[in-house]
Amino acid sequence: MFSGYIDLSPLPAFLAAVGIVLIAPGPDMVYMVAAGLAGGRSAATRAAFGITAGVAVYVVAVAAGLGTLVASHPAAVVGMQLVGAAYLVWLAFSAVQESRDGAELSAVVTGQHWFRRGFVVNLTNPKIALFFLAFLPLFLGTATSPTLQLLMLGVLLQLAGLAVDLLVGLAAGAFRDQVFQKPATMRTLTLTSAFVFAALAVLVIAEVATRLA
């Protein structure tokens, strides 16, 4: 149906590059570990699909040419990063509060909006759009429709990322579920997730400071 509009010849090289990118630990992987430890496998699953939904927004935006607009307005990038850092700080604070609820720890698994959290964390990370803008065009090949080619590549990258996020998050969630009946350990895991969220916020703020220096 799309023959002539897209070029499949770059796919082997693209998928190999995607594998390398996804294996390297990054903010998404760290976030999924934190989500799995804080909320278990259910939370990890929801968070992974939330992250994927955020990625989908950027895939469409880059394919539509909006990625260039983001790249050309550094102030907008900084603003989005600060919003993301603030949200991560709020997640860290919430996790600390949850760790104090001893008997209410079981509510953490089902009571949190992990899909929304994953979506917001990814949506406020403009580096994803910039990454797509720099990475995906390398595999346009001879496609006569760059938009369709970018959409195809973006969806493939999105699906591969979802698989990795689910694997990492579910592994962390399974570990949490094994110690679910040990309140002291549960509190430690929740505090660990709070530390991870806070550390990610610090990294984002440090990058903003470097950008503004």
Side-chain angles (χ1 to χ4, degrees):
M1 178 179 180
F2 296 112
S3 177
Y5 294 99
I6 61 176
D7 181 11
L8 299 180
S9 63
L11 284 187
F14 173 73
L15 294 176
V18 166
I20 295 174
V21 169
L22 294 179
I23 289 175
D28 281 2
M29 188 177 295
V30 175
Y31 176 77
M32 286 306 306
V33 170
L37 292 178
R41 286 175 290 186
S42 175
T45 300
R46 297 175 187 180
F49 279 99
I51 287 175
T52 300
V55 171
V57 173
Y58 280 119
V59 169
V60 174
V62 169
L66 296 181
T68 304
L69 184 64
V70 172
S72 62
H73 290 77
V77 174
V78 169
M80 293 174 69
Q81 286 180 310
L82 290 177
V83 171
Y87 191 70
L88 286 167
V89 169
W90 180 79
L91 290 181
F93 176 77
S94 297
V96 171
Q97 291 296 106
E98 290 159 2
S99 72
R100 297 176 179 175
D101 291 338
E104 302 299 326
L105 282 173
S106 61
V108 177
V109 175
T110 58
Q112 302 299 335
H113 302 288
W114 289 103
F115 178 91
R116 183 192 66 197
R117 289 181 171 189
F119 179 76
V120 172
V121 166
N122 236 25
L123 198 61
T124 54
N125 181 11
K127 290 179 64 178
I128 296 175
L130 298 178
F131 170 77
F132 282 162
L133 190 64
F135 182 69
L136 296 186
L138 297 176
F139 304 93
L140 285 176
T142 59
T144 59
S145 174
T147 298
L148 288 178
Q149 184 79 359
L150 289 173
L151 282 174
M152 177 189 70
L153 297 174
V155 169
L156 290 176
L157 178 56
Q158 181 182 358
L159 292 175
L162 174 62
V164 172
D165 286 341
L166 282 172
L167 181 63
V168 172
L170 291 176
F175 175 74
R176 174 193 167 95
D177 292 345
Q178 288 181 359
V179 296
F180 191 80
Q181 301 302 322
K182 302 176 181 179
T185 305
M186 290 291 292
R187 283 191 291 271
T188 299
L189 291 179
T190 305
L191 286 173
T192 299
S193 68
F195 173 79
V196 172
F197 291 140
L200 283 174
V202 170
L203 288 176
V204 172
I205 293 172
E207 182 177 339
V208 169
T210 301
R211 183 188 296 271
L212 296 178

